[in-house]
Amino acid sequence: MGMFFTCAQFLMLIALISLSDCYDPLDPNGNITVTFDINQWLPEGYLARVTIQNYYQYRHVDPSGWTLGWTWANDEVILSMSGAFATKQGNCSSFKSQSVPYSCEKSPAVADLMPDALPETRTDDCCHGGLLAAWAINPSMSFSSFEMTIGNLGANPKVEAPIDLTLMAPGPGYTCSPIEDADPTAHSDIGGKRQVQAYRTWKSTCTYSSFVSNQAPVCCVSLSTFYNPKITFCPDCSCGCREADKNTVSCITEGYDVPGSDSFDDIVQCTDHMCPVRHPGFSQSTTAYSFNSTMLPSFGLSDEVALFWGIEYYNDELVNFDKDQPGAVSTQILLRKDLESFTLGNGWALPRRVYFNGENCQMPLPDTFPMLPNHCSSFKPTNPVFLLLIYLTFINKSSL
């Protein structure tokens, strides 16, 4: 199975089921929750702690990271901030006789600080460069927090929640619910002997939709098997359509020697449907690399769902294909099979759905899957294991 992607860091989900694009039963509770906790009242404002928690099982936030925005309900301003930064100060000219606020924007946009931020600008659980790990991969790195002091409330005793929350993570695609009152957040103090809680808590949940992001699919899947010479490529136009440059026969750097390639068929080709096409490299002599993996709850589905991701500092990044970088990672996954129900007929042993970084990859139509020859349709496997080979290649669309 060969898959071609346009993302840098990867985690991959494989399911042997067919799913609807508008609802994901593999992660029905997935969302990013934004929590505002008022932990201290001030003479004309309050001190708030904002936490962004990623509850998606297999969707993380890539570089350049998250950006959170909202609109103040009244004339609030941000007096100070730690653990993040407002991208604009705004017009603070009305504060001539006072200390100038940190941000006077009516609709501020806030981004995360980098890990090397100065100590005086930091707060607990901050400064991950905007990155949020997937909940199933690394829960301890799936959230980020920052604090801000809010002022200019005057004598108005009514404190209202911000409105129109927006989340870029890092691009569009997220829709956030209204910010509403919730049960106050509680945490332990004095070594767990005392419980304290926020004076007031507001929450919003943000969910992702590829339709909202209005982007072409970022990945497509091609399939091959040892028992069928046919290569099943990505569907036409699965990554968008445009006329290919007929003067360009290869989508890789000119003069670059593809390791292990002995024929023109092994070169990545430019295509009209913008999905780079290449024969999977399983016939070549390659090294099998390991991936991390875990099983995800199937939420009542009969089939098991597996999540795979790279090993840190080894193969967790899928870089662009050039002379200094291989541009690919691969693995061999040995799967056990139920000899009573397992069959190679009609491509049944191949995945029906593949996700890459939470994005639903374009799959070939089931009737185009590599199948057994007709005279082998009654073949029953006797080996209790099934070997699945996965080859991932990064292709930069700008080169197509």
Side-chain angles (χ1 to χ4, degrees), residues 82-145:
S82 59
F85 66 95
T87 60
K88 294 182 180 180
Q89 183 185 32
N91 184 1
C92 296
S93 59
S94 61
F95 294 86
K96 296 178 181 178
S97 60
Q98 308 172 35
S99 298
V100 177
Y102 178 76
S103 176
C104 301
E105 282 284 297
K106 179 67 173 180
S107 299
V110 176
D112 199 7
L113 292 174
M114 300 302 292
D116 59 355
L118 297 175
E120 58 268 24
T121 66
R122 303 174 65 93
T123 188
D124 293 341
D125 304 320
C126 81
C127 313
H128 305 307
L131 307 184
L132 297 176
W135 176 255
I137 302 298
N138 189 351
S140 65
M141 295 295 291
S142 65
F143 63 94
S144 184
S145 297

Side-chain angles (χ1 to χ4, degrees), residues 233 245-252 256-258 260-271 277-279 284:
F233 293 122
D245 185 354
K246 304 304 181 183
N247 298 321
T248 304
V249 297
S250 171
C251 287
I252 65 172
Y256 175 58
D257 181 24
V258 181
S261 174
D262 297 324
S263 69
F264 181 78
D265 289 339
D266 288 327
I267 303 298
V268 178
Q269 303 296 307
C270 290
T271 65
V277 175
R278 169 195 175 123
H279 292 341
Q284 305 174 15

Side-chain angles (χ1 to χ4, degrees), residues 10-171:
F10 77 90
L11 55 89
M12 182 177 59
L13 179 74
I14 294 180
L16 298 175
I17 53 178
S18 179
L19 302 175
S20 169
D21 286 329
C22 57
Y23 173 71
D24 187 0
L26 300 182
D27 195 9
N29 300 318
N31 70 80
I32 294 180
T33 298
V34 181
T35 303
F36 294 77
D37 288 318
I38 297 179
N39 293 323
Q40 183 180 345
W41 295 114
L42 301 174
E44 293 188 5
Y46 56 86
L47 175 65
R49 183 175 181 84
V50 182
T51 301
I52 305 171
Q53 171 69 66
N54 182 16
Y55 287 114
Y56 278 107
Q57 295 283 332
Y58 47 82
R59 172 179 292 281
H60 56 223
V61 177
D62 282 323
S64 55
W66 54 262
T67 300
L68 191 68
W70 62 84
T71 299
W72 293 117
N74 297 298
D75 297 322
E76 296 92 336
V77 296
I78 302 175
L79 300 177
S80 63
M81 179 176 288
S82 59
F85 66 95
T87 60
K88 294 182 180 180
Q89 183 185 32
N91 184 1
C92 296
S93 59
S94 61
F95 294 86
K96 296 178 181 178
S97 60
Q98 308 172 35
S99 298
V100 177
Y102 178 76
S103 176
C104 301
E105 282 284 297
K106 179 67 173 180
S107 299
V110 176
D112 199 7
L113 292 174
M114 300 302 292
D116 59 355
L118 297 175
E120 58 268 24
T121 66
R122 303 174 65 93
T123 188
D124 293 341
D125 304 320
C126 81
C127 313
H128 305 307
L131 307 184
L132 297 176
W135 176 255
I137 302 298
N138 189 351
S140 65
M141 295 295 291
S142 65
F143 63 94
S144 184
S145 297
F146 62 91
E147 290 187 343
M148 55 184 180
T149 303
I150 308 304
N152 202 39
L153 270 64
N156 184 6
K158 185 178 181 181
V159 177
E160 297 183 67
I163 59 176
D164 299 334
L165 189 75
T166 61
L167 175 66
M168 304 287 283

Side-chain angles (χ1 to χ4, degrees), residues 280-343:
F282 306 130
S283 61
Q284 305 174 15
S285 177
T286 59
T287 302
Y289 296 94
S290 297
F291 288 173
N292 291 309
S293 65
T294 188
M295 301 301 294
L296 292 181
S298 56
F299 297 101
L301 300 174
S302 59
D303 297 282
E304 294 180 336
V305 180
L307 178 66
F308 302 91
W309 68 99
I311 297 173
E312 189 175 11
Y313 306 123
Y314 180 52
N315 63 354
D316 63 330
E317 291 190 0
L318 195 56
V319 297
N320 201 2
F321 198 94
D322 60 33
K323 63 181 181 179
D324 298 320
Q325 300 287 351
V329 292
S330 62
T331 190
Q332 297 181 7
I333 303 172
L334 197 62
L335 304 174
R336 291 197 171 274
K337 57 180 180 281
D338 182 354
L339 296 181
E340 297 299 321
S341 60
F342 182 86
T343 176

Side-chain angles (χ1 to χ4, degrees), residues 226-228 343-347 370-379:
F226 70 91
Y227 52 78
N228 191 316
T343 176
L344 293 171
N346 297 322
M371 299 183 185
L372 286 169
N374 291 335
H375 66 277
C376 297
S377 58
S378 61
F379 172 75

